[in-house]
Structures are given as structure tokens and as C-alpha cells.
């Protein structure tokens, strides 16, 4: 898998989907579908939106998931609290990991900012250990930046 080529294609698709739309739910729904279809060896791709000091489940592709996550809890909550991408090769070794799907073994969570404020996190899980690489992190951070600017977050 050539991640640079794949992420440039994903970014182009996301940009096209967001060109004439600002609705956050519509854009994130399509974005989760694009990521789910484009990335190999994943079992969940979606978003948690910042709502009243918590992360609340947003558009996603995959099995049912946790609905609310407190900042600082699990991988998603840690990304929200620290404002930093969390690339976790083995979720079972991540202190406080929240197991929404027992099949997940690795995870990457990227904060999404709008006008400098945390708006959401992008969460992607894989059944493979060590699935996500620094190249994935770079590509997904670019996707998150595009989505942060494209959506009408109403913060």
C-alpha cells in the first residue's frame, strides 16, 4: 500500500465532497465512508464530536460504539484532553483503554480543530496490531485539518 498516494486520493475525495457543503454531519458521514472504503485492515472509522465537555458519537462506519466519552478517558478522551494525535499499536497496553469492540487491537485518534478550538476527534480502529504508521498519522492529520476547515462546527 502506497500511503502517500492513497492519502492524496483520500484528501482529494474529501475536498470534493466538502466543496459545496458545510453541514458537519453530512460531510463527516461521507468522510467516514471514504475512510472505511479506502483504508485496508480497519474495522471502525468515525468521529466523536465535542459536546458540553464530552465526546459524543458522531457519524461512523463499523459496529455500534460507545456513545459518550469523557475527556481523558481511553484513547479518544486522551487525544481530546491533550490535543495530540494518539497512535496506539496495541490498545490492550493503553492504560484506560475503552473496549467498544473487542476485535480492535490498534487505534489512531486525531484531534480536529476549528478556528483553534477542539471540535471533534477522528477515530480509526484495526483488528491488526501495529496497523497504523507515521505515514498514516501524517495523512490522517491532513484529513482532519481539511475537515476542521470544511465543516460548519457551530462551536
Amino acid at each position: 500500500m502506497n500511503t502517500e498516494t492513497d492519502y492524496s486520493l483520500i484528501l482529494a475525495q474529501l475536498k470534493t465532497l466538502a466543496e459545496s457543503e458545510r453541514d458537519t454531519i453530512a460531510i463527516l458521514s461521507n468522510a467516514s465512508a471514504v475512510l472505511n472504503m479506502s483504508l485496508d485492515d480497519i474495522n471502525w472509522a468515525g468521529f466523536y464530536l465535542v459536546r458540553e465537555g464530552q465526546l459524543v458519537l458522531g457519524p461512523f462506519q463499523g459496529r455500534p460504539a460507545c456513545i459518550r466519552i469523557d475527556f481523558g478517558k481511553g484513547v479518544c478522551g486522551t487525544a481530546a484532553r491533550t490535543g495530540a494525535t494518539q497512535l496506539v499499536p496495541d490498545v490492550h497496553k493503553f492504560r484506560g483503554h475503552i473496549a467498544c469492540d473487542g476485535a480492535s487491537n490498534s487505534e489512531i485518534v486525531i484531534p480536529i480543530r476549528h478556528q483553534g478550538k477542539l471540535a471533534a476527534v477522528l477515530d480509526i480502529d484495526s483488528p491488526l496490531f501495529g496497523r497504523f504508521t507515521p505515514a498514516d498519522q501524517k495523512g490522517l492529520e491532513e484529513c482532519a485539518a481539511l475537515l476542521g476547515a470544511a465543516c460548519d462546527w457551530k462551536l
Side-chain angles (χ1 to χ4, degrees):
M1 175 164 129
N2 182 336
T3 55
E4 289 181 26
T5 301
D6 289 346
Y7 283 106
S8 66
L9 178 60
I10 291 168
L11 283 164
Q13 289 176 309
L14 294 178
K15 185 175 181 183
T16 298
L17 290 169
E19 278 180 343
S20 62
E21 184 59 59
R22 296 284 302 161
D23 184 84
T24 302
I25 299 301
I27 292 171
L28 297 183
S29 295
N30 275 331
S32 64
V34 166
L35 292 166
N36 189 55
M37 292 179 348
S38 302
L39 299 175
D40 295 331
D41 300 315
I42 67 167
N43 59 335
W44 203 91
F47 301 90
Y48 281 91
L49 312 176
V50 174
R51 298 288 187 265
E52 299 177 8
Q54 284 187 309
L55 295 173
V56 177
L57 183 63
F60 71 94
Q61 300 277 313
R63 292 183 178 196
C66 303
I67 295 174
R68 292 183 181 271
I69 300 174
D70 290 330
F71 281 26
K73 302 290 183 187
V75 182
C76 289
T78 299
R81 184 182 42 102
T82 63
T85 296
Q86 302 295 304
L87 193 156
V88 182
D90 182 348
V91 296
H92 308 289
K93 293 180 180 176
F94 189 91
R95 187 166 189 240
H97 174 252
I98 301 168
C100 295
D101 182 351
S104 295
N105 289 311
S106 63
E107 184 171 6
I108 188 167
V109 180
I110 299 94
I112 299 175
R113 292 176 187 79
H114 178 72
Q115 298 178 344
K117 294 180 181 177
L118 181 69
V121 298
L122 166 58
D123 180 20
I124 304 177
D125 296 353
S126 173
L128 301 181
F129 290 99
R131 159 62 182 87
F132 303 104
T133 66
D136 291 305
Q137 180 174 340
K138 180 181 182 295
L140 292 168
E141 286 175 345
E142 290 174 3
C143 292
L146 184 149
L147 294 169
C151 296
D152 183 6
W153 293 97
K154 297 179 182 167
L155 298 176

